[in-house]
Amino acid sequence: MESIAVGSGTMPLVGLGLWKIDEADTATAVVDAIRAGYRHLDSASDYGNEVAVGRGISTAIDAGLCRREDLWVTSKLWNTFHDPKHVAAACQRSLDDLGLDYLDLYLVHFPIAQPFVDFADRYPPGWFFEPQADAPSMELAAVPLSDTWRAMEELVEQGLVREIGICNYNSGLIHDLMTYAKRPPAMLQIESHPYLSQEALLRTAASYNIPVTAFSPLGALSYVALDMASDNESVLDEAVVLSAAQRVQRTPAQVVLRWAIQRGTAVIPKTSRSERLIENSSLFDFSLSGDEMAAISGLNRNRRFNDPGVFCEAAFNRFHAIYD
């Protein structure tokens, strides 16, 4: 599988996204993915399944399917641990759950600081500060992102992580980050798919030599069950995608993932089905024409499915936009 340079390492362009994989299915999904050739796993404390991810990694290593050094494992710092005095402990908790000595990449999950929640009280903490309150709501903490980033940099110095990066940042936050970062971000992870092509943000990242990983690269599929997308918003049904799929004799999903790879982003599609694991990683023996790339990019409608400015108010009783 092809890779890209990320900091001082190399990361496979296709990874297994672990968001929304049921904990009971996670270990098996990880083993199946590694057996199918995956070496890139994208996790996060907020997903609530890192212990199971760790079991899958351990099982795969014990079975001789891979070595630890063959894997690229990403995790993410949750919002409630932004205060510098909690960053290392949060990272160590993910390491303990995953059964690892280091992470290849650790990302700031959202540019949103929330009040600290002790591990003993609730883990993962989620978005509510007091979920049992009569009227629970999302709360914010006064922690500058610059303070959080300096604590992230210390994780590299401590040997807990190899590389650090950011998720869900906009161009303005990236410009600001680059004025104070002693260690520039090694990765930007963002929602991106043909309905949300993010061209300006990709160009901003490229101007700072920051590689990009696209989450939710197939668009609405992960969001319909959460009532964050409708059934008629599938990019896989678009005529230009279907036409390209017919020409290259691949599935619409493979065409959309190839579009993402061909425009320079890594992808982390989610699946727990073994046949889809193979399909989602079989992207390197065909290519899309320039016209097909342009037509798929032309589907952009700036449709963001994972938008705190929408779901925080709907689910957590507080309006909190981070994108204009």
Side-chain angles (χ1 to χ4, degrees):
M1 188 179 293
E2 295 183 14
S3 300
I4 56 170
V6 178
S8 60
T10 56
M11 185 186 81
L13 277 167
V14 180
L16 175 65
L18 292 156
W19 179 52
K20 285 180 75 263
I21 296 183
D22 289 342
E23 187 175 12
D25 300 327
T26 299
T28 298
V30 168
V31 174
D32 288 347
I34 293 172
R35 183 177 289 113
Y38 284 72
R39 296 296 182 265
H40 172 187
L41 304 172
D42 185 86
S43 184
S45 64
D46 186 55
Y47 301 167
N49 57 8
E50 287 197 319
V51 171
V53 174
R55 286 200 303 271
I57 292 172
S58 178
T59 298
I61 291 173
D62 290 346
L65 299 176
C66 67
R67 302 168 300 167
R68 167 63 185 99
E69 56 265 35
D70 298 328
L71 298 176
W72 181 281
V73 183
T74 296
S75 188
K76 305 177 188 77
L77 177 77
W78 185 241
N79 305 345
T80 54
F81 307 124
H82 273 217
D83 190 303
K85 62 176 176 283
H86 302 307
V87 170
C91 180
Q92 188 62 57
R93 174 61 187 259
S94 280
L95 286 170
D96 291 345
D97 286 352
L98 292 165
L100 301 177
D101 295 325
Y102 68 91
L103 291 168
D104 297 276
L105 178 63
Y106 197 49
L107 305 173
V108 178
H109 202 151
F110 281 95
I112 300 171
Q114 297 184 256
F116 173 67
V117 175
D118 194 278
F119 299 151
D121 293 335
R122 188 174 68 256
Y123 189 88
W127 291 84
F128 284 130
F129 180 58
E130 293 181 316
Q132 304 306 318
D134 291 339
S137 66
M138 169 189 172
E139 296 185 19
L140 301 177
V143 181
L145 287 170
S146 57
D147 289 356
T148 303
W149 188 252
R150 292 188 183 100
M152 294 282 286
E153 292 174 328
E154 291 176 5
L155 298 178
V156 181
E157 297 169 8
Q158 295 164 9
L160 296 177
V161 306
R162 298 285 173 85
E163 304 293 344
I164 53 175
I166 50 179
C167 268
N168 299 301
Y169 272 47
N170 59 33
S171 292
L173 289 178
I174 293 172
H175 291 311
D176 186 57
L177 170 59
M178 296 303 290
T179 67
Y180 59 75
K182 295 179 181 177
R183 175 178 286 270
M187 176 60 67
L188 168 65
Q189 189 177 120
I190 55 169
E191 179 184 348
S192 186
H193 42 76
Y195 286 163
L196 184 68
S197 60
Q198 302 254 48
E199 296 289 349
L201 185 53
L202 264 60
R203 289 184 64 183
T204 298
S207 73
Y208 292 116
N209 297 313
I210 304 170
V212 175
T213 297
F215 72 77
S216 302
L218 296 174
L221 294 181
S222 295
Y223 299 97
V224 173
L226 300 175
D227 292 327
M228 295 164 70
S230 58
D231 289 324
N232 64 357
E233 291 186 286
S234 176
V235 69
L236 304 185
D237 296 330
E238 291 284 354
V240 294
V241 172
L242 295 171
S243 175
Q246 183 176 23
R247 184 187 71 80
V248 298
Q249 292 298 289
R250 299 301 174 113
T251 66
Q254 286 175 306
V255 166
V256 171
L257 293 174
R258 178 66 201 184
W259 169 83
I261 293 283
Q262 208 163 308
R263 69 200 292 255
T265 66
V267 291
I268 45 172
K270 184 268 302 186
T271 187
S272 56
R273 295 168 55 183
S274 57
E275 67 274 16
R276 288 291 170 81
L277 286 169
I278 296 170
E279 176 185 326
N280 289 347
S281 62
S282 301
L283 308 175
F284 301 102
D285 58 353
F286 73 99
S287 62
L288 302 176
S289 70
D291 287 345
E292 287 166 338
M293 289 292 295
I296 295 172
S297 295
L299 296 173
N300 179 57
R301 57 180 73 169
N302 296 321
R303 174 63 165 105
R304 190 184 304 277
F305 297 106
N306 195 331
D307 188 348
V310 176
F311 70 73
C312 284
E313 184 170 32
F316 307 116
N317 302 321
R318 184 188 188 111
F319 174 69
H320 190 74
I322 62 174
Y323 312 113
D324 296 330

